[in-house]
Amino acid sequence: MNLYESIFTRKSTRDFTATPLSESKIDELRGFIENVPPLLPDAAISYKIVGPEGVKGMGVPKAPHYILISAPPQVLRNTCAGFLFQHAELFLYAEGYATRWLGMLKSKEQDKNFVIGMAFGEPAKPEHRTIEEFDRKPLTEIAQGNDPRIEAARLAPSGLNGQPWYFITENESIHVYQKQKIGGVLGLAYKMMDLDVGIALCHLAVASEELGRSFHFSITESAPKTPGGFLYLGTVK
Ligand SMILES: Cc1cc2nc3c(=O)[nH]c(=O)nc-3n(C[C@H](O)[C@H](O)[C@H](O)COP(=O)(O)O)c2cc1C
């Protein structure tokens, strides 16, 4: 399976075996992460891979490995982090492993630049699904215009499955917007919508690569009017 195919079958798990990945597989993952082109050229995102002894937090599933993602304050910090590590998520699925982004996870070591974590390892049972089994909003609720790459973004995971994104296509460009609030009691406390949109942008980038289209993300002055309740984040050209 390649990254693009993972988009259409992946599923998060909370149920991992205790079996760690081999050293060589972890090295492969590190090599993969180091080669992902950043969303913005100056993005400075770092990470550590730790075991269960390195993490704490409410409701954190037991897994053999966790990625702890850190980044100092910078433009679209969370969006750049979501973009980079969703690539890692798809890589792990493509290799037969499973993952879960974890907004509730904290690093045991003090880290003032900590952004978010992700659990990964071997799933206790295979984690795959068909497109019909994805619980996602229809395209008409998240996009104006037609671009086959938006279907890949539609299937992206997000915290509380809030799917806080909106896309407007214009010629060859896709303008990208982030919802300012997601609904529900838990949604009131949820603040990672910008990271979620970075995850969806990763799916757009992977779809662009697969379909032979370019992917350059930038912030332009001439984006269409921002839909009510959303923020303009940038444009894919
Ligand atoms: C930014 C982010 C934070 C998340 N935080 C948690 C979490 O704290 N606990 C949890 O069990 N799942 C968490 N999830 C997993 C989502 O609930 C899950 O991705 C979503 O329901 C969609 O399901 P899927 O990943 O199987 O497509 C998080 C996902 C994202 C993207």
Side-chain angles (χ1 to χ4, degrees), residues 43-152:
I45 317 286
S46 59
Y47 72 99
K48 275 189 211 158
I49 297 176
V50 301
E53 68 295 340
V55 301
K56 58 182 184 180
M58 291 241 302
V60 170
K62 271 212 157 42
H65 309 286
Y66 299 86
I67 302 179
L68 303 177
I69 302 161
S70 296
Q74 59 196 272
V75 176
L76 294 184
R77 176 186 86 146
N78 291 354
T79 310
C80 290
F83 180 82
L84 174 55
F85 284 93
Q86 183 60 16
H87 281 85
E89 209 241 21
L90 296 176
F91 171 86
L92 285 162
Y93 275 98
E95 295 286 320
Y97 301 103
T99 70
R100 192 161 199 109
W101 282 96
L102 290 168
M104 303 291 276
L105 180 140
K106 300 277 169 274
S107 168
K108 267 215 185 132
E109 265 180 28
Q110 187 83 357
D111 176 1
K112 67 179 179 10
N113 292 326
F114 182 72
V115 178
I116 195 168
M118 184 192 286
F120 70 96
E122 215 177 69
K125 59 175 179 41
E127 295 293 358
H128 293 298
R129 67 189 147 180
T130 62
I131 295 217
E132 294 71 37
E133 290 166 331
F134 276 80
D135 173 17
R136 296 293 189 270
K137 295 176 185 170
L139 270 179
T140 47
E141 257 182 59
I142 61 153
Q144 273 173 40
N146 258 329
D147 187 310
R149 294 173 293 174
I150 297 176
E151 173 63 358

Side-chain angles (χ1 to χ4, degrees), residues 152-212:
R154 185 181 78 85
L155 299 176
S158 51
L160 302 172
N161 203 23
Q163 306 161 67
W165 38 66
Y166 197 79
F167 306 97
I168 299 180
T169 63
E170 187 181 46
N171 305 321
E172 291 292 292
S173 301
I174 304 175
H175 305 287
V176 181
Y177 303 84
Q178 175 216 313
K179 206 170 186 178
Q180 286 175 293
K181 280 189 204 147
I182 57 171
V185 180
L186 293 175
L188 287 175
Y190 185 74
K191 300 276 182 273
M192 292 265 169
M193 288 83 83
D194 50 355
L195 192 139
D196 292 328
V197 179
I199 293 175
L201 279 164
C202 161
H203 284 205
L204 274 181
V206 169
S208 299
E209 169 88 25
E210 180 77 15
L211 303 173

